């Protein structure tokens, strides 16, 4: 018997079908962010990375253009198991020298991305307006700016993004998630916390009123606590966006780096699912702050995966990745993070949640604790290895990364 056969038997004894778990996992799309490949710089020359987010490190081989980024994505994605989507930022428009600003981007500026994503056999493309690293974001305020010209520019940008999202949805016949995140906030003690929020509300109203096709596009809003240089006030706070999303029938995006360190996104998922039919995620790893470290298969990620599975919400939660590490090989960072999410999901799919929930309902907390601990020792790794094998992936992917580093990245 192989290690997998033995594991399968063990899981069967727990009432878990390992075959079904692997099949289900292969169907869950993970939207992989393009911005890990080039340190969130983009192609439209908007300016240095701004908005209170930061990439640190200087590992050689950063993708400097579309060709290099495509090459890197193709290589990294080839090492990722499961169903993949591409998460694009508007700043990755392919402008080919055309003088056009972000408020006038058109689907054709992303057609080369569609061709590329189709060539890779991806499930679709998700999209993000880029409201940072641009002269119109120089004040640190965008949709909430007191300058009407600035607000209008970014409202137009978001509307343009919604059109582009419809195009993505049409091309792939899958719904496109458009996630709105703005850097708006203040470094020091505000004199007015109210008016900027009213302006943000008004800008969002204008964007949503553009008549985008709700049968093709999901709009999400991403809240945050603070950013570097904007420590004292964030316009798009958690309460602001949760209420906005609820009242306007759009979706919340939870980034697990965007809360106070003892608040857990895993606990927020079931809370939101009681009210929303969809929840979007940015899976990341914050170390002491929203540092966007590479996702590892740690307790936080396992808890998030467990909630998605036991809320029976694999079709309701849109999983996207959001981290950027420039201190290590960028492709390795990509693959490690994506595999960590897949591994956590597999573990969640192999857990007898119903049995445990029953113990909770019966008030049998002694056995519940004992079982929760015993289950940690089930042979998950044998199923993970089998899953990788069936997906045509090797458990050890570093040799391939190293080879690519020598042959491709080393030349940059
Ligand atoms: C910033 C947000 C946002 C960005 C990306 C690049 O704190 O998490 O999602 O990281 O849009
Ligand atoms: Zn995010």
């Amino acid at each position: 018997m192989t290690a997998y056969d033995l594991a399968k038997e063990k899981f069967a004894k727990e009432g878990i079908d390992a075959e079904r778990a692997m099949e289900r996992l292969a169907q869950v799309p993970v939207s992989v962010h393009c911005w890990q490949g080039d340190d969130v710089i983009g192609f439209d020359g908007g300016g240095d990375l701004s908005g209170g987010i930061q990439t640190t490190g200087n590992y050689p081989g950063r993708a400097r253009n579309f060709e290099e980024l495509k090459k890197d994505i193709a290589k990294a994605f080839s090492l990722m198991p499961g169903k993949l989507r591409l998460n694009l930022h508007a700043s990755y428009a392919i402008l080919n020298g055309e003088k056009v600003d972000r408020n006038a981007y058109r689907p054709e500026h992303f057609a080369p991305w569609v061709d590329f994503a189709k060539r890779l056999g991806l499930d679709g493309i998700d999209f993000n307006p880029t409201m940072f690293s641009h002269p119109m974001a120089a004040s640190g305020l965008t949709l909430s700016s007191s300058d009407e010209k600035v607000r209008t520019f970014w409202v137009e940008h978001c509307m343009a993004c919604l059109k582009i999202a419809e195009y993505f949805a049409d091309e792939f016949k899958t719904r496109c998630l458009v996630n709105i995140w703005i850097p708006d906030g203040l470094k020091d003690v505000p004199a007015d916390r109210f008016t900027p929020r009213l302006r943000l509300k008004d800008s969002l109203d204008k964007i949503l009123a553009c008549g985008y096709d709700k049968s093709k596009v999901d709009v999400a809003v991403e809240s945050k606590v603070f950013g570097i240089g904007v420590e004292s006030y964030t316009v798009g706070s958690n309460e602001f966006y949760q209420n906005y999303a609820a009242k306007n029938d759009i979706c919340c995006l939870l980034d697990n780096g965007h809360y106070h360190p003892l608040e857990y996104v895993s606990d927020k998922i079931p809370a939101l699912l009681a009210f929303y039919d969809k929840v979007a995620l940015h899976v990341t790893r914050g170390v002491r702050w929203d540092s966007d470290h590479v996702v590892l298969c740690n307790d936080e990620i396992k808890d998030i995966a467990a909630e998605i599975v036991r809320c029976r919400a694999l079709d309701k939660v849109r999983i996207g990745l959001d981290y950027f590490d420039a201190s290590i090989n960028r492709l390795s960072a990509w693959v490690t993070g994506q595999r960590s999410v897949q591994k956590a999901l597999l573990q969640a799919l192999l857990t007898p949640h119903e049995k445990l929930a029953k113990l909770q309902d019966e008030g049998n907390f002694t056995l519940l604790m004992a079982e929760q601990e015993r289950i940690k020792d089930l042979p998950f790794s044998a199923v993970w290895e089998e899953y990788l094998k069936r997906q045509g992936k090797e458990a050890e992917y570093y040799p391939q990364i190293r080879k690519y580093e020598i042959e491709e990245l080393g030349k940059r």
Side-chain angles (χ1 to χ4, degrees):
M1 271 181 126
T2 66
Y4 171 66
D5 292 329
L6 287 168
K8 195 171 148 180
E9 264 184 22
K10 276 210 159 182
F11 282 109
K13 275 194 201 126
E14 307 289 335
I16 300 284
D17 182 343
E19 292 287 326
R20 228 185 27 223
M22 288 188 286
E23 280 159 27
R24 189 69 190 92
L25 180 61
Q27 292 311 312
V28 181
V30 174
S31 198
V32 180
H33 54 318
C34 69
W35 53 90
Q36 162 59 41
D38 76 332
D39 311 343
V40 210
I41 291 174
F43 302 148
D44 66 355
D48 290 342
L49 184 56
S50 78
I53 53 179
Q54 249 171 42
T55 309
T56 56
N58 199 16
Y59 201 84
R62 183 182 81 79
R64 295 160 300 181
N65 52 51
F66 187 36
E67 290 312 310
E68 289 180 352
L69 188 57
K70 272 194 296 187
K71 244 186 172 174
D72 293 356
I73 289 175
K75 182 71 202 177
F77 280 35
S78 77
L79 301 172
M80 297 175 186
K83 195 186 258 192
L84 297 167
R85 295 174 64 82
L86 179 63
N87 202 2
L88 269 189
H89 244 288
S91 53
Y92 292 80
I94 312 301
L95 302 175
N96 288 321
E98 189 187 329
K99 286 263 164 295
V100 50
D101 213 338
R102 286 187 191 165
N103 60 339
Y105 285 178
R106 299 184 304 277
E108 66 203 69
H109 298 126
F110 295 88
W113 278 113
V114 168
D115 294 342
F116 172 67
K118 283 188 179 169
R119 189 152 59 74
L120 292 190
L122 304 184
D123 179 60
I125 298 182
D126 295 307
F127 205 40
N128 304 262
T130 312
M131 295 183 267
F132 50 88
S133 307
H134 188 280
M136 283 297 242
S139 71
L141 298 170
T142 61
L143 293 176
S144 77
S145 167
S146 59
D147 182 342
E148 198 189 333
K149 272 210 307 286
V150 170
R151 282 200 316 276
T152 304
F153 178 87
W154 292 114
V155 166
E156 287 170 358
H157 173 60
C158 290
M159 287 180 180
C161 287
L162 288 171
K163 278 269 154 275
I164 295 160
E166 286 174 4
Y167 159 68
F168 290 147
D170 284 337
E171 288 294 323
F172 291 93
K173 308 274 175 274
T174 55
R175 300 178 69 85
C176 174
L177 177 76
V178 173
N179 174 49
I180 297 180
W181 174 73
I182 55 168
D184 298 33
L186 293 174
K187 181 182 173 79
D188 229 314
V189 188
D192 179 1
R193 294 173 180 270
F194 188 42
T195 316
R197 288 188 172 132
L198 292 180
R199 288 195 292 253
L200 173 56
K201 188 165 168 245
D202 181 65
S203 295
L204 292 169
D205 287 347
K206 290 196 166 99
I207 295 163
L208 297 183
C210 76
Y212 71 97
D213 190 341
K214 292 186 180 165
S215 72
K216 296 175 183 168
V217 175
D218 291 309
V219 177
V221 279
E222 179 182 11
S223 74
K224 181 162 177 168
V225 177
F226 77 96
I228 297 292
V230 274
E231 289 87 353
S232 299
Y233 171 60
T234 298
V235 185
S237 60
N238 182 52
E239 293 74 12
F240 178 89
Y241 278 137
Q242 272 191 19
N243 283 291
Y244 189 86
K247 288 215 165 189
N248 293 279
D249 199 22
I250 59 168
C251 173
C252 290
L253 183 140
L254 312 178
D255 179 313
N256 59 303
H258 288 192
Y259 298 88
H260 288 289
L262 291 177
E263 270 186 272
Y264 294 108
V265 159
S266 49
D267 185 54
K268 296 177 191 298
I269 292 169
L272 288 192
L273 284 173
F275 297 95
Y276 293 86
D277 60 358
K278 260 173 216 157
V279 174
L281 298 183
H282 267 181
V283 184
T284 189
R285 179 167 55 103
V287 178
R288 303 188 186 281
W289 69 291
D290 181 29
S291 58
D292 289 300
H293 278 63
V294 177
V295 173
L296 303 178
C297 192
N298 60 14
D299 286 350
E300 187 183 7
I301 302 311
K302 287 188 211 170
D303 288 345
I304 288 172
E307 286 301 341
I308 298 172
V309 169
R310 63 195 189 193
C311 292
R312 299 179 189 282
L314 280 166
D315 293 322
K316 297 180 179 175
V317 178
R318 313 239 348 191
I319 303 171
L321 309 181
D322 183 15
Y323 49 84
F324 22 99
D325 193 337
S327 74
I328 57 173
N329 181 303
R330 292 171 185 78
L331 282 85
S332 194
W334 247 324
V335 181
T336 299
Q338 190 270 355
R339 286 192 178 205
S340 301
V341 171
Q342 285 259 304
K343 209 191 289 182
L345 285 168
L346 181 64
Q347 196 152 332
L349 285 161
L350 290 168
T351 299
H353 298 292
E354 278 158 30
K355 233 162 67 179
L356 298 174
K358 192 159 170 279
L359 293 175
Q360 174 180 318
D361 276 350
E362 290 165 359
N364 195 345
F365 299 112
T366 306
L367 183 55
L368 175 57
M369 184 193 284
E371 284 292 277
Q372 282 172 326
E373 286 305 291
R374 183 182 65 80
I375 279 161
K376 288 182 182 168
D377 299 323
L378 291 177
F380 298 106
S381 63
V383 186
W384 172 245
E385 277 178 26
E386 179 67 18
Y387 175 72
L388 288 176
K389 202 168 91 195
R390 293 187 190 185
Q391 288 277 318
K393 314 289 173 206
E394 278 170 73
E396 261 183 82
Y397 59 82
Y398 181 73
Q400 290 214 50
I401 299 266
R402 180 66 188 139
K403 186 162 175 278
Y404 185 80
E405 184 165 89
I406 294 164
E407 290 170 1
E408 171 64 31
L409 304 180
K411 294 200 208 109
R412 294 183 187 167

